[in-house]
Amino acid sequence: LVLLAAPAGAHVVPDQEEVAAGGRATVGFATSHGCEESPTNAMVFEIPEPIVSVNPVVHPGWDIEIEMEDLAEPVEAAHGDPITERTKTVTFRAQDGNELTNGLRDTFGISFQVPEDAEGETLFFKVLQQCPEGGENAWIEEYTGEGEEPEHPAPVVVVGPPEPEEGEEVAAEPASTTEEAAAAADGDDGGSSDGLAI
C-alpha cells in the first residue's frame, strides 16, 4: 500500500491497484483534465511488455485503434496455437464533438490476461494524452513510490498472487489460547479432549 500511495496522485489513475496473476482483469484509467485546459481528443496507452493481448472496452463517441508488434519468441495460446505478435498500443480517439472537456472526468477501460508468471511485477501503463489545442501530456515516467515523484508519472498496477481456485480453501489460522479455553469451557467435562475437539 505504501508503494502505491504516491502514484495514486497521478493525473491518469487506474481504478485497481492490484490484479491477480493468471487471471483476467479489466482496469479503468481515469482522467479529469486536458492539456493546459484544452479538451482531450485522444488517449494512447502503451501496453506493458508482459501482456500479450488486450480487449479495449467500448467507449461511446470514441474510436479505438490497436497497434500490434511482433514477439521476439512465439508464445502458446490457451487453445495451443502459437501467438506471434502482441498488442503494442491502444488508442482511444474522440469523434468530432465528443472531446473530453477539461474539468470533466472520464474513464477508459482495458481488459487483459495477466501472465501467470508475472506475480510481483509492476506494470506501467504509459499514456500519451493528446489535446487538439494545448499539445499533449506524456504520463510515461516510471515511479514506484521511492524518492521524489516525477511530474508526469505513469499509471501503475501491481501483479499480486493468483486467486484461489474454486473449491480451494484458505488454511485457517491456529486457534488462540483464549479460543481454546473458551472451547474447553463449553465441554461437559470442563476441558476434556472432547471439548477441545468440538
Side-chain angles (χ1 to χ4, degrees), residues 52-80:
V52 174
S53 63
V54 305
N55 297 108
V57 178
V58 173
H59 203 86
W62 291 60
D63 296 323
I64 298 176
E65 305 161 9
I66 299 176
E67 179 185 1
M68 307 295 291
E69 67 177 358
D70 292 334
L71 287 169
E73 295 182 4
V75 296
E76 186 175 317
H79 45 70

PDB file of all heavy atoms in Angstrom, residues 52-80:
ATOM      1  N   VAL A  52       0.337  -9.802 -23.488  1.00  0.00           N
ATOM      2  CA  VAL A  52       0.386 -10.131 -24.915  1.00  0.00           C
ATOM      3  C   VAL A  52      -0.775  -9.518 -25.680  1.00  0.00           C
ATOM      4  O   VAL A  52      -0.599  -8.900 -26.725  1.00  0.00           O
ATOM      5  CB  VAL A  52       0.419 -11.666 -25.111  1.00  0.00           C
ATOM      6  CG1 VAL A  52       0.333 -12.013 -26.597  1.00  0.00           C
ATOM      7  CG2 VAL A  52       1.682 -12.253 -24.499  1.00  0.00           C
ATOM      8  N   SER A  53      -1.992  -9.702 -25.178  1.00  0.00           N
ATOM      9  CA  SER A  53      -3.154  -9.194 -25.908  1.00  0.00           C
ATOM     10  C   SER A  53      -4.129  -8.524 -24.955  1.00  0.00           C
ATOM     11  O   SER A  53      -4.198  -8.868 -23.774  1.00  0.00           O
ATOM     12  CB  SER A  53      -3.860 -10.326 -26.666  1.00  0.00           C
ATOM     13  OG  SER A  53      -4.369 -11.284 -25.761  1.00  0.00           O
ATOM     14  N   VAL A  54      -4.887  -7.563 -25.488  1.00  0.00           N
ATOM     15  CA  VAL A  54      -5.859  -6.839 -24.690  1.00  0.00           C
ATOM     16  C   VAL A  54      -7.173  -6.731 -25.454  1.00  0.00           C
ATOM     17  O   VAL A  54      -7.220  -6.921 -26.678  1.00  0.00           O
ATOM     18  CB  VAL A  54      -5.363  -5.420 -24.323  1.00  0.00           C
ATOM     19  CG1 VAL A  54      -4.009  -5.474 -23.638  1.00  0.00           C
ATOM     20  CG2 VAL A  54      -5.292  -4.535 -25.558  1.00  0.00           C
ATOM     21  N   ASN A  55      -8.226  -6.402 -24.718  1.00  0.00           N
ATOM     22  CA  ASN A  55      -9.523  -6.090 -25.302  1.00  0.00           C
ATOM     23  C   ASN A  55      -9.972  -4.744 -24.750  1.00  0.00           C
ATOM     24  O   ASN A  55     -10.414  -4.663 -23.607  1.00  0.00           O
ATOM     25  CB  ASN A  55     -10.561  -7.169 -24.951  1.00  0.00           C
ATOM     26  CG  ASN A  55     -10.212  -8.521 -25.515  1.00  0.00           C
ATOM     27  OD1 ASN A  55      -9.826  -9.427 -24.788  1.00  0.00           O
ATOM     28  ND2 ASN A  55     -10.337  -8.676 -26.821  1.00  0.00           N
ATOM     29  N   PRO A  56      -9.835  -3.676 -25.532  1.00  0.00           N
ATOM     30  CA  PRO A  56     -10.292  -2.371 -25.054  1.00  0.00           C
ATOM     31  C   PRO A  56     -11.801  -2.382 -24.822  1.00  0.00           C
ATOM     32  O   PRO A  56     -12.549  -3.048 -25.544  1.00  0.00           O
ATOM     33  CB  PRO A  56      -9.921  -1.418 -26.191  1.00  0.00           C
ATOM     34  CG  PRO A  56      -8.913  -2.166 -27.019  1.00  0.00           C
ATOM     35  CD  PRO A  56      -9.258  -3.609 -26.879  1.00  0.00           C
ATOM     36  N   VAL A  57     -12.237  -1.666 -23.802  1.00  0.00           N
ATOM     37  CA  VAL A  57     -13.663  -1.553 -23.509  1.00  0.00           C
ATOM     38  C   VAL A  57     -14.269  -0.489 -24.424  1.00  0.00           C
ATOM     39  O   VAL A  57     -13.711   0.607 -24.583  1.00  0.00           O
ATOM     40  CB  VAL A  57     -13.885  -1.167 -22.034  1.00  0.00           C
ATOM     41  CG1 VAL A  57     -15.374  -0.996 -21.742  1.00  0.00           C
ATOM     42  CG2 VAL A  57     -13.288  -2.237 -21.114  1.00  0.00           C
ATOM     43  N   VAL A  58     -15.394  -0.822 -25.039  1.00  0.00           N
ATOM     44  CA  VAL A  58     -16.061   0.116 -25.956  1.00  0.00           C
ATOM     45  C   VAL A  58     -16.340   1.436 -25.245  1.00  0.00           C
ATOM     46  O   VAL A  58     -16.808   1.465 -24.103  1.00  0.00           O
ATOM     47  CB  VAL A  58     -17.381  -0.502 -26.464  1.00  0.00           C
ATOM     48  CG1 VAL A  58     -18.171   0.526 -27.266  1.00  0.00           C
ATOM     49  CG2 VAL A  58     -17.086  -1.731 -27.315  1.00  0.00           C
ATOM     50  N   HIS A  59     -16.021   2.535 -25.921  1.00  0.00           N
ATOM     51  CA  HIS A  59     -16.195   3.872 -25.359  1.00  0.00           C
ATOM     52  C   HIS A  59     -17.055   4.689 -26.323  1.00  0.00           C
ATOM     53  O   HIS A  59     -16.550   5.154 -27.351  1.00  0.00           O
ATOM     54  CB  HIS A  59     -14.823   4.532 -25.164  1.00  0.00           C
ATOM     55  CG  HIS A  59     -14.813   5.618 -24.155  1.00  0.00           C
ATOM     56  ND1 HIS A  59     -14.640   5.404 -22.810  1.00  0.00           N
ATOM     57  CD2 HIS A  59     -14.983   6.957 -24.288  1.00  0.00           C
ATOM     58  CE1 HIS A  59     -14.678   6.548 -22.157  1.00  0.00           C
ATOM     59  NE2 HIS A  59     -14.893   7.507 -23.040  1.00  0.00           N
ATOM     60  N   PRO A  60     -18.342   4.848 -26.027  1.00  0.00           N
ATOM     61  CA  PRO A  60     -19.239   5.550 -26.956  1.00  0.00           C
ATOM     62  C   PRO A  60     -18.711   6.939 -27.332  1.00  0.00           C
ATOM     63  O   PRO A  60     -18.273   7.712 -26.482  1.00  0.00           O
ATOM     64  CB  PRO A  60     -20.550   5.653 -26.159  1.00  0.00           C
ATOM     65  CG  PRO A  60     -20.503   4.484 -25.220  1.00  0.00           C
ATOM     66  CD  PRO A  60     -19.057   4.359 -24.826  1.00  0.00           C
ATOM     67  N   GLY A  61     -18.757   7.223 -28.620  1.00  0.00           N
ATOM     68  CA  GLY A  61     -18.302   8.519 -29.111  1.00  0.00           C
ATOM     69  C   GLY A  61     -16.813   8.580 -29.401  1.00  0.00           C
ATOM     70  O   GLY A  61     -16.305   9.619 -29.845  1.00  0.00           O
ATOM     71  N   TRP A  62     -16.105   7.472 -29.152  1.00  0.00           N
ATOM     72  CA  TRP A  62     -14.661   7.423 -29.393  1.00  0.00           C
ATOM     73  C   TRP A  62     -14.345   6.201 -30.252  1.00  0.00           C
ATOM     74  O   TRP A  62     -14.907   5.117 -30.065  1.00  0.00           O
ATOM     75  CB  TRP A  62     -13.910   7.321 -28.072  1.00  0.00           C
ATOM     76  CG  TRP A  62     -13.978   8.547 -27.217  1.00  0.00           C
ATOM     77  CD1 TRP A  62     -15.102   9.137 -26.697  1.00  0.00           C
ATOM     78  CD2 TRP A  62     -12.878   9.352 -26.789  1.00  0.00           C
ATOM     79  NE1 TRP A  62     -14.776  10.241 -25.966  1.00  0.00           N
ATOM     80  CE2 TRP A  62     -13.412  10.402 -25.992  1.00  0.00           C
ATOM     81  CE3 TRP A  62     -11.499   9.286 -26.981  1.00  0.00           C
ATOM     82  CZ2 TRP A  62     -12.613  11.377 -25.403  1.00  0.00           C
ATOM     83  CZ3 TRP A  62     -10.701  10.253 -26.386  1.00  0.00           C
ATOM     84  CH2 TRP A  62     -11.249  11.289 -25.618  1.00  0.00           C
ATOM     85  N   ASP A  63     -13.434   6.365 -31.206  1.00  0.00           N
ATOM     86  CA  ASP A  63     -12.938   5.247 -31.995  1.00  0.00           C
ATOM     87  C   ASP A  63     -11.759   4.613 -31.269  1.00  0.00           C
ATOM     88  O   ASP A  63     -11.055   5.275 -30.494  1.00  0.00           O
ATOM     89  CB  ASP A  63     -12.488   5.724 -33.381  1.00  0.00           C
ATOM     90  CG  ASP A  63     -13.646   6.274 -34.199  1.00  0.00           C
ATOM     91  OD1 ASP A  63     -14.759   5.718 -34.103  1.00  0.00           O
ATOM     92  OD2 ASP A  63     -13.434   7.277 -34.922  1.00  0.00           O
ATOM     93  N   ILE A  64     -11.541   3.324 -31.515  1.00  0.00           N
ATOM     94  CA  ILE A  64     -10.444   2.599 -30.860  1.00  0.00           C
ATOM     95  C   ILE A  64      -9.522   2.022 -31.918  1.00  0.00           C
ATOM     96  O   ILE A  64      -9.971   1.344 -32.855  1.00  0.00           O
ATOM     97  CB  ILE A  64     -10.984   1.474 -29.960  1.00  0.00           C
ATOM     98  CG1 ILE A  64     -11.856   2.069 -28.844  1.00  0.00           C
ATOM     99  CG2 ILE A  64      -9.836   0.666 -29.354  1.00  0.00           C
ATOM    100  CD1 ILE A  64     -12.510   1.026 -27.956  1.00  0.00           C
ATOM    101  N   GLU A  65      -8.222   2.311 -31.781  1.00  0.00           N
ATOM    102  CA  GLU A  65      -7.212   1.803 -32.706  1.00  0.00           C
ATOM    103  C   GLU A  65      -6.232   0.921 -31.924  1.00  0.00           C
ATOM    104  O   GLU A  65      -5.814   1.281 -30.824  1.00  0.00           O
ATOM    105  CB  GLU A  65      -6.462   2.970 -33.351  1.00  0.00           C
ATOM    106  CG  GLU A  65      -7.378   3.981 -34.034  1.00  0.00           C
ATOM    107  CD  GLU A  65      -6.694   5.324 -34.263  1.00  0.00           C
ATOM    108  OE1 GLU A  65      -5.464   5.407 -34.043  1.00  0.00           O
ATOM    109  OE2 GLU A  65      -7.389   6.278 -34.654  1.00  0.00           O
ATOM    110  N   ILE A  66      -5.867  -0.221 -32.508  1.00  0.00           N
ATOM    111  CA  ILE A  66      -4.932  -1.146 -31.865  1.00  0.00           C
ATOM    112  C   ILE A  66      -3.711  -1.331 -32.768  1.00  0.00           C
ATOM    113  O   ILE A  66      -3.845  -1.670 -33.942  1.00  0.00           O
ATOM    114  CB  ILE A  66      -5.592  -2.510 -31.594  1.00  0.00           C
ATOM    115  CG1 ILE A  66      -6.788  -2.340 -30.637  1.00  0.00           C
ATOM    116  CG2 ILE A  66      -4.588  -3.491 -31.009  1.00  0.00           C
ATOM    117  CD1 ILE A  66      -7.560  -3.615 -30.391  1.00  0.00           C
ATOM    118  N   GLU A  67      -2.543  -1.123 -32.201  1.00  0.00           N
ATOM    119  CA  GLU A  67      -1.289  -1.324 -32.939  1.00  0.00           C
ATOM    120  C   GLU A  67      -0.602  -2.583 -32.409  1.00  0.00           C
ATOM    121  O   GLU A  67      -0.464  -2.757 -31.199  1.00  0.00           O
ATOM    122  CB  GLU A  67      -0.349  -0.128 -32.764  1.00  0.00           C
ATOM    123  CG  GLU A  67       0.982  -0.281 -33.484  1.00  0.00           C
ATOM    124  CD  GLU A  67       1.951   0.852 -33.210  1.00  0.00           C
ATOM    125  OE1 GLU A  67       1.601   1.761 -32.429  1.00  0.00           O
ATOM    126  OE2 GLU A  67       3.061   0.824 -33.770  1.00  0.00           O
ATOM    127  N   MET A  68      -0.193  -3.461 -33.307  1.00  0.00           N
ATOM    128  CA  MET A  68       0.453  -4.719 -32.929  1.00  0.00           C
ATOM    129  C   MET A  68       1.950  -4.662 -33.248  1.00  0.00           C
ATOM    130  O   MET A  68       2.399  -3.865 -34.067  1.00  0.00           O
ATOM    131  CB  MET A  68      -0.189  -5.891 -33.679  1.00  0.00           C
ATOM    132  CG  MET A  68      -1.707  -5.989 -33.547  1.00  0.00           C
ATOM    133  SD  MET A  68      -2.256  -6.333 -31.849  1.00  0.00           S
ATOM    134  CE  MET A  68      -1.675  -8.027 -31.653  1.00  0.00           C
ATOM    135  N   GLU A  69       2.717  -5.550 -32.590  1.00  0.00           N
ATOM    136  CA  GLU A  69       4.130  -5.700 -32.905  1.00  0.00           C
ATOM    137  C   GLU A  69       4.505  -7.175 -32.776  1.00  0.00           C
ATOM    138  O   GLU A  69       3.862  -7.936 -32.043  1.00  0.00           O
ATOM    139  CB  GLU A  69       5.001  -4.855 -31.974  1.00  0.00           C
ATOM    140  CG  GLU A  69       4.999  -5.287 -30.531  1.00  0.00           C
ATOM    141  CD  GLU A  69       5.945  -4.455 -29.684  1.00  0.00           C
ATOM    142  OE1 GLU A  69       6.630  -3.581 -30.228  1.00  0.00           O
ATOM    143  OE2 GLU A  69       5.987  -4.693 -28.454  1.00  0.00           O
ATOM    144  N   ASP A  70       5.538  -7.595 -33.506  1.00  0.00           N
ATOM    145  CA  ASP A  70       5.970  -8.989 -33.487  1.00  0.00           C
ATOM    146  C   ASP A  70       6.632  -9.330 -32.156  1.00  0.00           C
ATOM    147  O   ASP A  70       7.348  -8.515 -31.565  1.00  0.00           O
ATOM    148  CB  ASP A  70       6.957  -9.264 -34.626  1.00  0.00           C
ATOM    149  CG  ASP A  70       6.296  -9.172 -35.995  1.00  0.00           C
ATOM    150  OD1 ASP A  70       5.067  -9.384 -36.067  1.00  0.00           O
ATOM    151  OD2 ASP A  70       7.014  -8.877 -36.973  1.00  0.00           O
ATOM    152  N   LEU A  71       6.389 -10.557 -31.699  1.00  0.00           N
ATOM    153  CA  LEU A  71       7.057 -11.059 -30.499  1.00  0.00           C
ATOM    154  C   LEU A  71       8.437 -11.596 -30.868  1.00  0.00           C
ATOM    155  O   LEU A  71       8.627 -12.161 -31.948  1.00  0.00           O
ATOM    156  CB  LEU A  71       6.238 -12.183 -29.865  1.00  0.00           C
ATOM    157  CG  LEU A  71       4.950 -11.776 -29.128  1.00  0.00           C
ATOM    158  CD1 LEU A  71       4.135 -13.023 -28.793  1.00  0.00           C
ATOM    159  CD2 LEU A  71       5.271 -11.001 -27.861  1.00  0.00           C
ATOM    160  N   ALA A  72       9.391 -11.439 -29.977  1.00  0.00           N
ATOM    161  CA  ALA A  72      10.731 -11.981 -30.222  1.00  0.00           C
ATOM    162  C   ALA A  72      10.669 -13.503 -30.299  1.00  0.00           C
ATOM    163  O   ALA A  72      11.341 -14.123 -31.135  1.00  0.00           O
ATOM    164  CB  ALA A  72      11.686 -11.554 -29.112  1.00  0.00           C
ATOM    165  N   GLU A  73       9.812 -14.101 -29.445  1.00  0.00           N
ATOM    166  CA  GLU A  73       9.596 -15.539 -29.471  1.00  0.00           C
ATOM    167  C   GLU A  73       8.097 -15.807 -29.333  1.00  0.00           C
ATOM    168  O   GLU A  73       7.440 -15.202 -28.494  1.00  0.00           O
ATOM    169  CB  GLU A  73      10.342 -16.230 -28.322  1.00  0.00           C
ATOM    170  CG  GLU A  73      11.854 -16.130 -28.412  1.00  0.00           C
ATOM    171  CD  GLU A  73      12.539 -16.879 -27.286  1.00  0.00           C
ATOM    172  OE1 GLU A  73      11.830 -17.532 -26.501  1.00  0.00           O
ATOM    173  OE2 GLU A  73      13.776 -16.783 -27.195  1.00  0.00           O
ATOM    174  N   PRO A  74       7.546 -16.710 -30.152  1.00  0.00           N
ATOM    175  CA  PRO A  74       6.115 -17.012 -30.057  1.00  0.00           C
ATOM    176  C   PRO A  74       5.765 -17.596 -28.689  1.00  0.00           C
ATOM    177  O   PRO A  74       6.585 -18.240 -28.042  1.00  0.00           O
ATOM    178  CB  PRO A  74       5.898 -18.060 -31.169  1.00  0.00           C
ATOM    179  CG  PRO A  74       7.046 -17.848 -32.111  1.00  0.00           C
ATOM    180  CD  PRO A  74       8.207 -17.440 -31.249  1.00  0.00           C
ATOM    181  N   VAL A  75       4.541 -17.328 -28.235  1.00  0.00           N
ATOM    182  CA  VAL A  75       4.039 -17.922 -27.003  1.00  0.00           C
ATOM    183  C   VAL A  75       2.812 -18.752 -27.342  1.00  0.00           C
ATOM    184  O   VAL A  75       2.172 -18.549 -28.382  1.00  0.00           O
ATOM    185  CB  VAL A  75       3.688 -16.838 -25.966  1.00  0.00           C
ATOM    186  CG1 VAL A  75       4.928 -16.067 -25.552  1.00  0.00           C
ATOM    187  CG2 VAL A  75       2.620 -15.899 -26.500  1.00  0.00           C
ATOM    188  N   GLU A  76       2.490 -19.682 -26.467  1.00  0.00           N
ATOM    189  CA  GLU A  76       1.379 -20.587 -26.723  1.00  0.00           C
ATOM    190  C   GLU A  76       0.097 -20.027 -26.146  1.00  0.00           C
ATOM    191  O   GLU A  76       0.047 -19.621 -24.983  1.00  0.00           O
ATOM    192  CB  GLU A  76       1.672 -21.961 -26.110  1.00  0.00           C
ATOM    193  CG  GLU A  76       0.620 -23.013 -26.452  1.00  0.00           C
ATOM    194  CD  GLU A  76       0.999 -24.387 -25.927  1.00  0.00           C
ATOM    195  OE1 GLU A  76       2.190 -24.766 -26.064  1.00  0.00           O
ATOM    196  OE2 GLU A  76       0.121 -25.068 -25.377  1.00  0.00           O
ATOM    197  N   ALA A  77      -0.955 -20.005 -26.961  1.00  0.00           N
ATOM    198  CA  ALA A  77      -2.255 -19.537 -26.504  1.00  0.00           C
ATOM    199  C   ALA A  77      -2.925 -20.612 -25.666  1.00  0.00           C
ATOM    200  O   ALA A  77      -2.464 -21.764 -25.603  1.00  0.00           O
ATOM    201  CB  ALA A  77      -3.132 -19.172 -27.694  1.00  0.00           C
ATOM    202  N   ALA A  78      -4.037 -20.251 -25.030  1.00  0.00           N
ATOM    203  CA  ALA A  78      -4.753 -21.188 -24.164  1.00  0.00           C
ATOM    204  C   ALA A  78      -5.217 -22.420 -24.932  1.00  0.00           C
ATOM    205  O   ALA A  78      -5.250 -23.525 -24.389  1.00  0.00           O
ATOM    206  CB  ALA A  78      -5.935 -20.481 -23.516  1.00  0.00           C
ATOM    207  N   HIS A  79      -5.552 -22.251 -26.213  1.00  0.00           N
ATOM    208  CA  HIS A  79      -6.019 -23.385 -27.021  1.00  0.00           C
ATOM    209  C   HIS A  79      -4.877 -24.101 -27.735  1.00  0.00           C
ATOM    210  O   HIS A  79      -5.113 -24.998 -28.541  1.00  0.00           O
ATOM    211  CB  HIS A  79      -7.062 -22.918 -28.033  1.00  0.00           C
ATOM    212  CG  HIS A  79      -6.699 -21.662 -28.750  1.00  0.00           C
ATOM    213  ND1 HIS A  79      -5.690 -21.592 -29.683  1.00  0.00           N
ATOM    214  CD2 HIS A  79      -7.203 -20.417 -28.648  1.00  0.00           C
ATOM    215  CE1 HIS A  79      -5.596 -20.364 -30.156  1.00  0.00           C
ATOM    216  NE2 HIS A  79      -6.499 -19.615 -29.539  1.00  0.00           N
ATOM    217  N   GLY A  80      -3.637 -23.683 -27.468  1.00  0.00           N
ATOM    218  CA  GLY A  80      -2.489 -24.404 -28.002  1.00  0.00           C
ATOM    219  C   GLY A  80      -1.841 -23.801 -29.226  1.00  0.00           C
ATOM    220  O   GLY A  80      -0.720 -24.169 -29.585  1.00  0.00           O
TER     221      GLY A  80
END
